[in-house]
Amino acid sequence: MSADEQALAYKMELSALEMLDWFIEAGADEATENSPINWFEISAKAVKIAPSQTPKHTIRPAAALAQPMISAAEIIKQANTVSKKSMTLESLEKNLRNFVGCTLKNTAANTVFADGKPASRIMIIGEAPTSEEDRTGRPFLGQSGALLEKMLHAIGLERSNDYYLTNILPWRPPGNRKPTETEISICMPFVKRHIELFAPQMIILLGSLPLRNLIHQDHGILKSHGKWYNYDLDDKKIPLMAIFHPNYLIQQPAAKKAAWKDLQEIKTKIEEIS
Ligand code: URA
């Protein structure tokens, strides 16, 4: 707790714990500094350390402010190397937790890797953790997670037994902001390796972020949901479908009818392949 917050807690005759509870109830979900940080000044100093490098786009490696700046392309290369070196899901998770190349890690409380049943062979890929997932380190725990579980329960799939959940981004973007293309590109090698190591029999994508980044097709989710695509994995073609993200369904309940039809398609495909 900062000095200002301590002073406020004292004035309100609250203990530190009561004060934190009060913040959470009031909707605060971010810890911020008392004074603003001039990142441009820090970047300028960092670039001075490595004058030979003149990258087009530079980003600040997480947890390593004093390190020289390296280009986004170099960080993506590192992400590729580290993920390819991971030979099991456990080592991929460990390597992802140790990876400091993505700035999102700076503000996240946890690395959110995956949850559910690895033996199930159905892999569901969402977008990014929000505050609940960031706090606990498990994907899809908040409101959208509850709706997702309900949707899948309706076609006979249970979280504890029948599917495995992960996200494109393992770190929560601060304030749930839209991730940048650089942040996504740094995380993609880990996602692709995650799919390789998990070796699913079916992939379900939630919303447009995984759709755009995993199968690179131009039509958005409104046109592409409910259609079967193939994900090429070595010499196999894995059936893949994108459905509406539960967050979208919370905001647009009228889309639930189409979502229900998509779920029926998934149920039929599961019956075919099992
Ligand atoms: N929680 C997640 O873990 N992923 C999402 O896409 C949304 C909420």
Side-chain angles (χ1 to χ4, degrees), residues 112 126-130 133 138-142 144-145 166-167 206 245 247:
V112 179
E127 297 186 341
T130 58
E133 292 85 11
R138 291 174 63 206
F140 284 102
L141 286 189
S144 63
T166 187
N167 282 309
L206 302 175
H245 193 287
N247 274 344

Side-chain angles (χ1 to χ4, degrees), residues 207-224:
S208 54
L209 182 70
L211 174 72
R212 187 161 49 82
N213 289 285
L214 278 168
I215 56 170
H216 306 288
Q217 53 93 31
D218 296 333
H219 306 299
I221 188 75
L222 288 178
K223 281 205 174 148
S224 311

Side-chain angles (χ1 to χ4, degrees), residues 84-97:
K84 283 269 178 269
K85 262 201 238 157
S86 314
M87 292 308 185
T88 60
L89 287 173
E90 292 72 26
S91 75
L92 184 69
E93 178 171 1
K94 187 167 157 245
N95 289 335
L96 180 65
R97 288 183 188 284

Side-chain angles (χ1 to χ4, degrees), residues 36-176:
I37 296 173
N38 185 347
W39 294 113
F40 292 106
E41 200 176 274
I42 290 167
S43 301
K45 275 187 197 149
V47 168
K48 252 193 231 153
I49 295 169
S52 59
Q53 286 176 319
T54 52
K56 266 199 207 128
H57 307 288
T58 53
I59 59 177
R60 187 171 48 91
L65 285 178
Q67 279 185 11
M69 300 289 279
I70 53 177
S71 69
E74 184 55 36
I75 295 179
I76 294 166
K77 215 165 113 190
Q78 284 176 8
N80 255 310
T81 311
V82 169
S83 51
K84 283 269 178 269
K85 262 201 238 157
S86 314
M87 292 308 185
T88 60
L89 287 173
E90 292 72 26
S91 75
L92 184 69
E93 178 171 1
K94 187 167 157 245
N95 289 335
L96 180 65
R97 288 183 188 284
N98 290 336
F99 185 73
V100 293
C102 185
T103 46
L104 290 177
K105 194 174 185 180
N106 282 352
T107 45
N110 267 304
T111 299
V112 179
F113 183 70
D115 197 33
K117 188 88 171 173
S120 66
R121 307 269 68 89
I122 297 178
M123 187 172 201
I124 301 182
I125 307 178
E127 297 186 341
T130 58
S131 58
E132 187 76 7
E133 292 85 11
D134 184 45
R135 217 179 354 257
T136 56
R138 291 174 63 206
F140 284 102
L141 286 189
Q143 211 190 351
S144 63
L147 178 57
L148 179 67
E149 283 183 29
K150 233 167 141 182
M151 287 160 64
L152 295 169
H153 173 78
I155 55 164
L157 301 179
E158 304 303 333
R159 181 171 179 142
S160 54
N161 246 342
D162 302 314
Y163 52 90
Y164 179 80
L165 290 158
T166 187
N167 282 309
I168 294 289
L169 300 170
W171 300 289
R172 179 196 182 199
N176 301 335

